[in-house]
Amino acid sequence: QIATSQSGRLSELISELFELAKLDSSETLINIEPFSLAELVQDGVHKFNLEAGKRHIQLQTSFDKHQPFAYGDIGLTQRWLDNLIENALRYTPTDGRITLSLEKDSSNIMVKVADNGQGIPSEEIPHTFNRFYRLEKNRTSGKNAGLGLAIVKRIIDLHGSDIHADSAPRRGTSFSFALPCYPSNS
């Protein structure tokens, strides 16, 4: 059972390393198209609702029903969304809360994933997007290899945006960035 568990963990790590290498490749092309970011966020919430419910964590959304379409790669967007929700679930305590919010400004949709988890000390925030970085110094605990946020950052970089982290111990963490709105004809 231990060997099977470790084998699965190693397989996950190799898969993430290949994904990151592919994203870093100069030949990486992203498929930019209009899509409903609001629907994708709702799908992400539904995907992780069972896991959140088992841990008594509220997984909620906050946005206007009439969000414009975003402009980006829908597959990669789903990947960063999954990574950010998984990360928030990992560090949010029982009876905690995770909120995914969308807000339109003049030409972008501002995306924010926030939790009320353990938070990150201010001196650690600059390292959160580094490969293999983990807040816990014991890298053998858990199944997390510290590649999830590096993958998120690379995907957002490919979309020409920047991701920002805001956090404080025992207050929680939020990650935010912008995706361009798809121009509507109306």
Side-chain angles (χ1 to χ4, degrees), residues 8-167:
R9 189 168 171 251
L10 183 59
S11 176
E12 222 175 280
L13 175 61
I14 291 169
S15 176
E16 286 182 344
L17 283 169
F18 276 128
E19 180 178 8
L20 200 50
K22 181 180 174 186
L23 289 170
D24 282 342
S25 168
S26 60
E27 298 171 9
T28 298
L29 300 175
I30 61 174
N31 183 25
I32 301 292
E33 60 186 328
F35 66 94
S36 173
L37 185 56
E39 286 182 21
L40 202 63
V41 166
Q42 287 289 26
D43 290 348
V45 167
H46 289 299
K47 179 178 179 179
F48 290 97
N49 244 348
L50 183 60
E51 183 180 344
K54 287 178 184 176
R55 297 192 40 221
H56 304 282
I57 295 173
Q58 280 185 323
L59 192 51
Q60 59 193 29
T61 59
S62 173
F63 52 83
D64 181 29
K65 291 180 183 179
H66 303 290
Q67 286 289 318
F69 275 29
Y71 202 55
D73 186 305
I74 192 168
L76 291 177
T77 299
Q78 181 68 57
R79 181 65 167 124
W80 64 246
L81 180 63
D82 288 354
N83 280 15
L84 287 177
I85 294 172
E86 286 173 347
N87 195 66
L89 283 169
R90 186 175 299 115
Y91 295 106
T92 301
T94 299
D95 297 321
R97 183 181 61 255
I98 300 168
T99 304
L100 291 87
S101 58
L102 305 174
E103 189 175 309
K104 185 189 178 308
D105 70 11
S106 60
S107 60
N108 294 305
I109 299 174
M110 305 305 293
V111 180
K112 185 175 186 179
V113 178
D115 64 59
N116 66 341
Q118 70 186 43
I120 304 168
S122 58
E123 66 275 7
E124 301 288 329
I125 290 174
H127 307 290
T128 58
F129 299 107
N130 294 349
R131 294 163 196 222
F132 303 110
Y133 175 79
R134 290 181 55 184
L135 190 56
E136 309 88 17
K137 300 308 176 198
N138 178 3
R139 295 187 186 271
T140 61
S141 66
K143 67 175 193 162
N144 177 20
L147 291 173
L149 290 177
I151 290 170
V152 168
K153 179 165 180 15
R154 184 63 187 131
I155 290 170
I156 292 171
D157 287 348
L158 287 169
H159 281 83
S161 190
D162 292 317
I163 186 166
H164 305 281
D166 180 38
S167 187

